[in-house]
Amino acid sequence: MQLYKSRSFGDFFSDTFTFLKENGKHFYKNYFIINGIFIILLMVMIFFFFRFYNNIIFSDFTTGSGDPFTNYIDENIGIVLIFGSLFFILGLLLGVINYAYTPIYFLLFEKHGGKNFTKNDLINELKTQLGKIFIFLLAGFLIAIPTFIATLIICGILAVTIIGIPLLLIVFAWLAQFYFIAFIAYLQTDKGVFDCFSYSFNLSFKKFWSANGCVALFYIIIQTVQTIITIIPYSFLIGSFVLGAENGSNTNEQTLTAITLMTITYMVAFFINLIMVTVLQMNESIIYFSLKEETENINTKSVIDEIGSY
């Protein structure tokens, strides 16, 4: 698949799924090899946390006792701190690797002219870029202060009008695209991190409505999928409680079923969200290479050079 190519809104959307169809197996095989251990550990911790938390919440409803959750924290503060610290560290590692994986994959894809690279190439590239990744995180935090203030002001202005409310999603899509372009440009080039943010700011306004509209559409798709995943089990859960109350069923049995269903639902939603985010990043990557072609004519110059060599 050609990355450096001028695209319209429809091309941004369709080429994302074309890339997924042609390279999805290679992409996700390496994704799970690299991220798998962190995902498994985090999901195990999520399972035990939500199982425990829901047990306490439901016991509060069924027994009417004060606040058992707060009481447990007070009595087991050491365990809670250790568990919380491990959860934070694992979540941070997964978040960083997950955010960096897709742009690094696309950069290797562009470098090799396709998926002719291995997990070792991806791991080595991640190691090589580790310093840049953490510099970007620090710079991104500094840039976030004025950026988020400006974004909140714009959102406040849009929110007061009925016409402006749908545009809020475009603003958030632009913000996500602004950071992503800066990140992938920083990994790809020798430019300084703040130069990449400046470059991203200019690039993110090219084909503004087409590019950011497509990112916004993917956000809507992700939100819709997440809602479907969670609302169906919860609907069955509420229905079972209503029927159980009418039929006089065992409350403890229903509670155990509810806890299990809610825990599994959250874990599935978490896992699906990780996958959906990578698809969103595929779309953002394709937009990046397309906008870069619009600005720098990289593929056009390459074609001209090839003609001149004959």
Side-chain angles (χ1 to χ4, degrees):
M1 180 178 176
Q2 185 177 317
L3 294 178
Y4 288 113
K5 170 186 169 184
S6 180
R7 293 178 173 90
S8 62
F9 173 85
D11 295 327
F12 289 140
F13 191 79
S14 62
D15 281 2
T16 301
F17 289 102
T18 299
F19 184 89
L20 186 60
K21 180 181 177 182
E22 294 177 353
N23 308 287
K25 184 178 179 181
H26 183 260
F27 179 94
Y28 284 111
K29 182 184 79 171
N30 290 295
Y31 173 82
F32 286 117
I33 288 172
I34 294 171
N35 288 291
I37 186 66
F38 298 109
I39 293 173
I40 291 169
L41 288 173
L42 204 59
M43 288 188 74
V44 168
M45 293 185 77
I46 288 172
F47 175 81
F48 283 110
F49 172 77
F50 273 88
R51 182 88 179 187
F52 161 76
Y53 180 76
N54 288 328
N55 262 309
I56 288 181
I57 293 299
F58 277 99
S59 72
D60 189 23
F61 282 126
T62 54
T63 63
S65 57
D67 188 353
F69 188 71
T70 303
N71 293 339
Y72 181 87
I73 292 176
D74 291 339
E75 294 168 6
N76 302 274
I77 188 67
I79 295 173
V80 171
L81 287 175
I82 292 171
F83 184 91
S85 299
L86 286 173
F87 188 84
F88 175 78
I89 292 168
L90 280 173
L92 182 63
L93 285 171
L94 179 61
V96 169
I97 296 172
N98 200 57
Y99 191 72
Y101 176 83
T102 303
I104 285 177
Y105 184 94
F106 268 82
L107 292 178
L108 286 175
F109 187 93
E110 186 261 337
K111 179 182 177 181
H112 291 270
K115 55 185 178 184
N116 304 312
F117 53 93
T118 66
K119 72 176 187 302
N120 291 330
D121 295 317
L122 283 160
I123 292 170
N124 290 334
E125 190 66 20
L126 276 166
K127 289 178 180 177
T128 302
Q129 301 280 20
L130 202 57
K132 275 191 166 186
I133 291 169
F134 283 104
I135 289 172
F136 181 84
L137 289 174
L138 292 173
F141 179 77
L142 294 175
I143 292 289
I145 297 171
T147 303
F148 275 83
I149 291 173
T151 302
L152 286 173
I153 292 171
I154 293 169
C155 287
I157 294 170
L158 291 174
V160 298
T161 63
I162 295 176
I163 297 175
I165 291 175
L167 297 178
L168 291 173
L169 195 55
I170 296 291
V171 175
F172 291 119
W174 173 86
L175 187 63
Q177 188 70 6
F178 166 65
Y179 267 89
F180 188 84
I181 290 175
F183 184 51
I184 193 170
Y186 185 51
L187 295 179
Q188 186 184 32
T189 67
D190 294 326
K191 294 179 182 178
V193 64
F194 292 109
D195 289 333
C196 287
F197 273 107
S198 177
Y199 173 78
S200 174
F201 184 82
N202 294 326
L203 204 65
S204 64
F205 283 98
K206 288 197 173 289
K207 291 195 171 181
F208 180 86
W209 294 107
S210 297
N212 295 295
C214 192
V215 173
L217 180 58
F218 270 94
Y219 271 117
I220 292 172
I221 293 171
I222 291 172
Q223 189 58 49
T224 302
V225 171
Q226 290 285 78
T227 301
I228 292 171
I229 290 170
T230 54
I231 202 168
I232 292 176
Y234 286 152
S235 298
F236 279 114
L237 181 62
I238 293 169
S240 69
F241 266 109
V242 172
L243 291 173
E246 291 177 354
N247 299 328
S249 300
N250 190 311
T251 305
N252 290 333
E253 210 173 286
Q254 283 187 313
T255 301
L256 181 60
T257 302
I259 291 169
T260 303
L261 186 60
M262 290 174 69
T263 304
I264 292 172
T265 298
Y266 186 85
M267 289 176 68
V268 171
F270 172 77
F271 180 78
I272 295 297
N273 184 65
L274 288 176
I275 303 302
M276 295 295 288
V277 166
T278 60
V279 177
L280 171 65
Q281 287 185 315
M282 287 181 193
N283 179 245
E284 291 176 320
S285 299
I286 285 169
I287 290 172
Y288 165 74
F289 283 103
S290 181
L291 295 180
K292 192 170 182 180
E293 172 64 19
E294 293 274 350
T295 306
E296 302 175 26
N297 299 311
I298 294 171
N299 185 58
T300 304
K301 290 175 182 176
S302 177
V303 171
I304 292 171
D305 289 341
E306 286 179 8
I307 294 172
S309 64
Y310 289 106

